[in-house]
Amino acid sequence: MIGAKNEPFSNFNTKLRFRTKSSKQYDILPKHVKDSAFKFENNSKGIRSTPAGPHHFLLCIIISVAFYTVLAILEKSLPEPVTLANEHNHPDRFVAERARNHLVKLTSMGPRPVGSKENEILAVQLLLDEIKLIIEQADPSHKVEWDLQRVSGAFSLQFLDGMTNVYRNVQNIIVKIGPIKTSRHSLLINCHFDSVVDSPGASDDGASCAIMLELLRVISRLKIPLKNNIIFLFNGAEENMMQASHGFITQHKWASSIRAFINMEACGAGGKEILFQVGPNHPWLLEAYSDTVPYPLASSMAQEIFQSGIIPGDTDYRIFRDFGRVSGLDFAWSANGYVYHTKLDTVDKIPLGTFQRTGDNMLPLILKLVNSVQISDVEKYSTGNLVFFDFLGIFIVHWSEVLSDIINISVIIISLLVILYNASHTRVTGFSVKDYFKSCFKCSSLTVLIWLATLFTIAILSLTVVMLDRRLSWFAQPAWLLFLYITPTILVPMVLLVLFGRKFLWGKKGTHYPQSLMYCISRDGNQLLYIMILLLCVLLRIRSGFAVALFVTCNTISILLHNTILNNDYGYKVLWLHWGCMLVPFMLSAYMIQAALLLVVPIMGRSGSGNHAESVMSLITSAMFTLVFSFYNPLILLLQKVYTVFSSLAVVLLVSFLVLVFTPLGFPYSGDPNNLAPQRFMIAHVERSFYGYNGSLRDHQNGLWIVNLDVNSPQSIVRHVPELINARQISQDECNNELYCGLPYFIPVITFIWKTHWIDTKPLDVEIPLSLNLTYRDHRLHNVQRLSFSAIGPDHITFMLSLYDGIKLKDWSLSDGEPLKGPLWNGRPTYFVYYSCANDIIPWDFWIDIEVPKTHVGPQIEIGLSGHRMHGPNQYTPELKKLFNQLPQWTTTTGWASAYKSYTL
């Protein structure tokens, strides 16, 4: 406490104790101040207040952690699956085991990258066989059709560093089921059956396709005809930056009938599917979800976070929304993101209950949407967005943005009135309403300073962890976040509030103001700060403000109950009253934080070695818990022996650091099948050639390119792979001299993953055909030249272009519209083009128009061309196989062979 013998007050009916250098300091205070202070510390009924001991506060923390643990356990609960053996007891139900069997067949063929036999022939045939069987057994009340689409096209995509996407002959399997009497309105359900390199793609996204097959079977056997059509899209090129969905929504004959869609995705294996994007507009979509699904999990906060670009990912939702101008719902599994896009994404990682949960949610939702009046006249119901969230997976809470504004403004007004009431009923004589609000604003400023100090402290702690070479300890064991970063997030604000709060608010003249007044002002000042934050959410149309509004509301209720039921008792009762009032927002926040951590922690293992993951994760964690604990911090001012709380938390922090430094418990990775958290390695065997302006070969290299996906790569495996001793980091000079560092980037992520290594090796044992020929140069009007090219290579090619100073790119044949720029290179614009040909590979012919000033002499453009062999027997070279065989069991790998050629023209 400030200014007392470890307790803020005692023996209220007799005297008030102040800790001063001399008791005379209390005696020299003006009489009216002494009298008013005495009155302030005693309630009007003369009830004795018993100060809260430190054990009360520590017990609150322990119970809060227990609640969080229970919520984390409940998050894993799944419904009982329906099996083939008992499906006769569940007519018209989704059968999880049948869906799982579909997935077993699909993944048994191995990885399915675009262009591979597994994706373009085997997977297509498997799906078609299942679809035809379902159609044969369909009820006569339904009309069922199917189509196999092979499509080519191009589009710009403002994702990651920005790219132009060009595709040829990618495939879609489409099934339409509807009434016998044709309807002009359709609901689209989408999955993708292709996978990334080296991954069987069980969760991403084979499981969704398996679930869709079972949904199609159940719906096709219903006796009641549908009012409109359902189109099931099994798309074959999502991992190629969403090419197949673009080909469908822009070119297929059934696309024009689509009025809404459901997209099924995954960024983890199993768990619960979360609705993380809905709309734009069309609130009836969310209302249908709320009214029908038995196991809801949704949040508009998740949508705002995802669409902000903080999370490096995207789905076909963007394609349907932006190119099809259709609104819909986007679902994804997010649990166990450690196996996402790896060899470990197998069927056994997905619990059978996950299939059942998703199927039980999707079936009633699909039937509700397709039979709704809204889907037949979507424009009539298109206006508005909703604020929504689920409460612990039990039910959905949602309201319109207009109602959200009314609620938020009402909360602001009521909260301000309560603070005004507290200010006008201050019992300290000479302390006016103006003084009270002035002190509250000071306290708000203090809270902001404390937040900054807390984040600064957390940053120092994370840098210490980095210096001690103990990074990512929380990757395999997220509990380390509690000990290393959540504990100081609780500790630092309390220490600063106690040490500096009184002096910050009143300076020396207020040394003897009662501690309970300090508590009230600290509590109301904190409330005032969040009122301002809530007002900002209203003004900026931030729908996530519902979380702030909930905290402010419950805090207001706590204040009102304190003023009435407890009659301003400032003992231990107020601590438990406040904790109880804040239990609902705490549980909801803990629930959302748990979901966020499930998603974010695995992402830190694949977001690049240059992203300072330890600091990023520590600050994210601290910031999330700051909102929760800010409403508890003022309670520390009412405790006896407050330093007992400080010392307890400090001991936890210190012991945690000692355990982290001196034991192996902080090892960041795990190969345990029951607790997988592998370190990822993406390595390409590359042959790269650099040609000068005169066409001569100026450099030629062969080597293993190690794409460092986390901050411990590649030093974590040096003792397992002796060859890494010779690895060198790609230098800044190389990146300045060569476009995209002279490396075969598969997607445009150089601003995210720029720290990579290179090991010189023998040449590739199999030649990758790759060449770029300038077929002709045509001089056109206004200093414009047309350069026509023909590129030859494998089925995955990337083309990077940069213009010399003074040269302008006017147009090209690669896509419609203005060419999309990427990041600057040496102050010059760059352009990244990704090209894939799924079938019948032929030369890739295209042209570019550049404007060249008459005075320009010398090179005009710089080109980087990469060819990627991402499947087949020559995907792995002997050097890759040797390196992968040396890696420990707590790693997982992705590898391919690639050629890179640089041209100056």
Side-chain angles (χ1 to χ4, degrees):
M1 100 171 232
I2 302 174
K5 294 181 179 179
N6 295 327
E7 68 267 358
F9 42 81
S10 62
N11 196 14
F12 287 179
N13 292 329
T14 57
K15 64 179 180 179
L16 189 70
R17 294 183 181 177
F18 291 92
R19 181 175 180 178
T20 61
K21 295 180 180 179
S22 169
S23 61
K24 293 182 180 180
Q25 287 182 305
Y26 177 79
D27 295 334
I28 63 174
L29 285 173
K31 185 177 185 300
H32 74 275
V33 174
K34 291 188 288 183
D35 291 343
S36 60
F38 181 81
K39 291 177 183 178
F40 188 84
E41 293 291 354
N42 289 270
N43 58 59
S44 60
K45 295 183 180 179
I47 300 174
R48 179 186 178 92
S49 297
T50 304
H55 62 280
H56 286 282
F57 198 89
L58 292 172
L59 187 58
C60 279
I61 294 176
I62 293 171
I63 295 175
S64 298
V65 172
F67 265 111
Y68 186 91
T69 304
V70 170
L71 289 173
I73 294 172
L74 292 177
E75 195 277 334
K76 298 180 180 179
S77 64
L78 295 168
E80 187 69 23
V82 178
T83 63
L84 295 174
N86 65 9
E87 69 171 319
H88 62 278
N89 296 323
H90 306 279
D92 299 334
R93 280 285 303 278
F94 179 94
V95 181
E97 187 177 3
R98 183 178 286 108
R100 186 180 188 277
N101 290 343
H102 290 319
L103 183 60
V104 170
K105 294 177 184 178
L106 183 62
T107 56
S108 64
M109 60 186 66
R112 302 174 301 282
V114 171
S116 65
K117 176 183 178 182
E118 290 78 8
N119 192 67
E120 309 306 329
I121 299 176
L122 301 182
V124 170
Q125 191 60 53
L126 172 66
L127 292 170
L128 285 177
D129 289 345
E130 296 292 344
I131 289 167
K132 291 175 183 178
L133 181 62
I134 291 171
I135 293 175
E136 289 176 4
Q137 300 172 351
D139 190 88
S141 62
H142 306 292
K143 180 181 180 181
V144 190
E145 307 171 75
W146 69 271
D147 186 35
L148 176 62
Q149 180 191 28
R150 181 177 286 192
V151 62
S152 303
F155 60 100
S156 296
L157 189 61
Q158 291 182 331
F159 174 60
L160 301 174
D161 290 343
M163 63 188 297
T164 298
N165 215 335
V166 183
Y167 57 93
R168 177 178 290 159
N169 297 335
V170 300
Q171 298 187 97
N172 287 311
I173 302 171
I174 311 105
V175 183
K176 182 171 73 169
I177 178 171
I180 299 299
K181 184 178 179 181
T182 304
S183 169
R184 296 182 294 106
H185 313 290
S186 301
L187 170 70
L188 174 68
I189 318 296
N190 176 68
C191 72
H192 68 88
F193 59 85
D194 67 312
S195 73
V196 296
V197 180
D198 280 344
S199 176
S203 64
D204 183 27
D205 190 33
S208 295
C209 292
I211 289 170
M212 280 173 49
L213 285 173
E214 176 61 7
L215 288 170
L216 175 61
R217 184 195 70 84
V218 174
I219 294 171
S220 69
R221 295 190 177 191
L222 295 176
K223 303 298 182 182
I224 302 175
L226 303 171
K227 293 182 179 180
N228 298 290
N229 308 312
I230 306 172
I231 294 177
F232 290 84
L233 171 60
F234 301 84
N235 91 62
E238 191 272 348
E239 299 297 357
N240 273 24
M241 297 295 110
M242 303 163 286
Q243 294 172 345
S245 58
H246 180 269
F248 169 79
I249 203 66
T250 58
Q251 300 182 51
H252 195 268
K253 59 184 178 181
W254 292 338
S256 60
S257 71
I258 292 171
R259 305 293 178 257
F261 68 87
I262 293 175
N263 185 53
M264 299 172 62
E265 256 291 357
C267 57
K272 303 176 179 180
E273 83 287 346
I274 179 174
L275 173 59
F276 67 101
Q277 293 189 99
V278 61
N281 299 311
H282 295 269
W284 62 277
L285 294 170
L286 193 279
E287 290 168 351
Y289 177 82
S290 175
D291 293 342
T292 58
V293 299
Y295 314 110
L297 179 59
S299 173
S300 52
M301 180 181 291
Q303 177 165 347
E304 288 185 326
I305 292 173
F306 184 82
Q307 292 183 351
S308 70
I310 295 175
I311 298 173
D314 217 333
T315 72
D316 286 321
Y317 175 94
R318 173 198 286 266
I319 303 300
F320 300 136
R321 179 196 65 192
D322 294 353
F323 295 95
R325 306 301 179 190
V326 186
S327 294
L329 304 106
D330 203 7
F331 295 90
W333 294 341
S334 60
N336 195 16
Y338 297 103
V339 304
Y340 170 75
H341 279 193
T342 72
K343 296 177 180 179
L344 304 173
D345 185 10
T346 54
V347 178
D348 60 291
K349 304 301 188 303
I350 308 173
L352 198 56
T354 291
F355 289 92
Q356 193 65 49
R357 185 185 192 279
T358 302
D360 285 349
N361 278 345
M362 292 298 109
L363 182 58
L365 176 60
I366 290 171
L367 294 176
K368 174 75 171 181
L369 292 174
V370 77
N371 293 318
S372 66
V373 296
Q374 291 91 340
I375 201 170
S376 300
D377 191 5
V378 290
E379 292 305 317
K380 182 179 178 181
Y381 303 95
S382 64
T383 305
N385 284 308
L386 295 178
V387 174
F388 61 93
F389 60 92
D390 70 288
F391 184 76
L392 308 183
I394 302 172
F395 55 85
I396 288 284
V397 180
H398 64 84
W399 52 75
S400 67
E401 285 186 308
V402 174
L403 182 57
S404 175
D405 289 341
I406 295 173
I407 292 173
N408 290 342
I409 293 172
S410 299
V411 169
I412 291 171
I413 293 173
I414 293 172
S415 300
L416 286 173
L417 290 175
V418 170
I419 295 175
L420 179 61
Y421 174 86
N422 293 338
S424 61
H425 285 73
T426 302
R427 300 177 190 176
V428 176
T429 305
F431 199 75
S432 64
V433 171
K434 180 180 178 181
D435 292 332
Y436 194 90
F437 270 94
K438 184 177 178 181
S439 296
C440 284
F441 277 111
K442 283 186 176 181
C443 192
S444 298
S445 302
L446 176 62
T447 301
V448 173
L449 293 175
I450 287 175
W451 287 354
L452 295 175
T454 301
L455 294 178
F456 178 77
T457 303
I458 295 298
I460 295 299
L461 289 174
S462 66
L463 290 175
T464 303
V465 169
V466 171
M467 292 176 62
L468 294 172
D469 197 21
R470 292 295 185 269
R471 295 167 291 193
L472 303 189
S473 59
W474 36 264
F475 184 68
Q477 300 293 338
W480 277 106
L481 292 171
L482 170 64
F483 299 114
L484 294 178
Y485 303 123
I486 299 176
T487 298
T489 298
I490 303 173
L491 175 61
V492 173
M494 294 178 180
V495 172
L496 295 179
L497 183 61
V498 169
L499 291 180
F500 304 110
R502 182 183 292 273
K503 292 181 180 179
F504 185 88
L505 292 179
W506 295 302
K508 294 182 179 179
K509 69 177 182 178
T511 303
H512 303 288
Y513 278 141
Q515 197 73 10
S516 46
L517 175 61
M518 175 68 177
Y519 162 73
C520 289
I521 291 176
S522 178
R523 176 198 64 193
D524 290 351
N526 187 71
Q527 180 83 329
L528 196 60
L529 174 61
Y530 279 92
I531 288 173
M532 290 186 284
I533 294 174
L534 182 56
L535 179 60
L536 192 63
C537 291
V538 173
L539 296 175
L540 298 179
R541 315 298 295 170
I542 299 175
R543 288 183 286 166
S544 302
F546 74 83
V548 181
L550 182 60
F551 271 97
V552 172
T553 299
C554 291
N555 196 48
T556 301
I557 293 172
S558 174
I559 295 172
L560 290 172
L561 291 177
H562 180 213
N563 292 345
T564 56
I565 296 177
L566 293 186
N567 198 21
N568 293 311
D569 187 319
Y570 290 95
Y572 69 91
K573 293 180 182 179
V574 69
L575 187 149
W576 289 106
L577 171 68
H578 185 72
W579 185 86
C581 289
M582 301 303 294
L583 185 58
V584 170
F586 171 80
M587 292 176 65
L588 183 62
S589 297
Y591 177 69
M592 292 189 292
I593 288 173
Q594 169 67 9
L597 292 179
L598 278 174
L599 175 66
V600 175
V601 168
I603 286 177
M604 289 295 106
R606 59 177 188 267
S607 56
S609 62
N611 72 345
H612 309 292
E614 191 70 33
S615 296
V616 170
M617 196 65 212
S618 65
L619 293 173
I620 288 176
T621 304
S622 179
M624 287 192 296
F625 280 92
T626 293
L627 170 66
V628 180
F629 294 130
S630 289
F631 288 91
Y632 293 91
N633 290 336
L635 294 172
I636 202 73
L637 300 171
L638 300 180
L639 297 184
Q640 289 179 318
K641 300 179 181 178
V642 66
Y643 292 104
T644 301
V645 176
F646 298 162
S647 58
S648 299
L649 295 175
V651 167
V652 170
L653 181 60
L654 178 61
V655 171
S656 301
F657 261 88
L658 293 176
V659 171
L660 180 68
V661 174
F662 294 107
T663 74
L665 296 178
F667 185 71
Y669 310 108
S670 170
D672 181 356
N674 297 317
N675 184 38
L676 281 173
Q679 185 178 23
R680 298 172 182 237
F681 285 92
M682 182 177 288
I683 303 175
H685 195 172
V686 180
E687 178 183 44
R688 52 182 187 168
S689 305
F690 303 90
Y691 294 90
Y693 182 49
N694 58 4
S696 63
L697 182 67
R698 58 183 174 85
D699 196 7
H700 182 78
Q701 300 176 14
N702 288 274
L704 296 179
W705 179 41
I706 303 173
V707 182
N708 303 324
L709 294 177
D710 77 11
V711 293
N712 291 322
S713 173
Q715 61 270 22
S716 58
I717 56 168
V718 169
R719 64 189 182 93
H720 300 278
V721 185
E723 293 87 343
L724 286 176
I725 297 175
N726 300 319
R728 61 178 177 82
Q729 183 177 328
I730 298 297
S731 67
Q732 187 60 46
D733 287 342
E734 290 177 272
C735 294
N736 289 337
N737 294 332
E738 305 293 347
L739 182 61
Y740 269 79
C741 303
L743 295 167
Y745 274 88
F746 180 57
I747 54 177
V749 291
I750 194 167
T751 59
F752 301 89
I753 303 177
W754 50 268
K755 188 176 180 181
T756 63
H757 283 72
W758 179 272
I759 305 175
D760 290 320
T761 65
K762 298 177 181 178
L764 294 176
D765 57 334
V766 177
E767 181 181 357
I768 298 178
L770 182 70
S771 64
L772 181 70
N773 299 312
L774 177 62
T775 55
Y776 69 90
R777 187 192 297 261
D778 182 17
H779 293 271
R780 308 171 82 85
L781 297 177
H782 306 297
N783 300 324
V784 173
Q785 298 180 18
R786 173 164 292 183
L787 280 63
S788 297
F789 296 96
S790 182
I792 297 175
D795 49 30
H796 294 76
I797 298 176
T798 51
F799 171 81
M800 292 87 81
L801 170 69
S802 182
L803 310 173
Y804 276 79
D805 292 338
I807 311 296
K808 295 180 181 180
L809 180 61
K810 302 298 291 183
D811 196 8
W812 62 14
S813 63
L814 295 170
S815 65
D816 295 331
E818 183 180 353
L820 180 65
K821 293 181 181 180
L824 294 177
W825 173 57
N826 293 333
R828 293 154 46 185
T830 64
Y831 302 84
F832 190 101
V833 183
Y834 174 70
Y835 169 81
S836 72
C837 182
N839 290 279
D840 304 328
I841 299 176
I842 60 175
W844 177 28
D845 298 327
F846 59 93
W847 53 260
I848 65 173
D849 286 348
I850 57 175
E851 182 180 339
V852 183
K854 292 182 179 180
T855 57
H856 183 85
V857 178
Q860 299 171 351
I861 61 174
E862 192 88 20
I863 292 174
L865 188 73
S866 302
H868 307 271
R869 189 183 296 278
M870 312 198 80
H871 56 84
N874 297 318
Q875 174 188 342
Y876 285 164
T877 64
E879 286 77 10
L880 271 178
K881 292 177 182 178
K882 178 183 177 182
L883 190 149
F884 287 166
N885 288 336
Q886 297 177 77
L887 295 179
Q889 53 90 26
W890 41 264
T891 64
T892 185
T893 59
T894 298
W896 71 94
S898 182
Y900 176 89
K901 293 188 177 182
S902 170
Y903 302 91
T904 302
L905 300 175

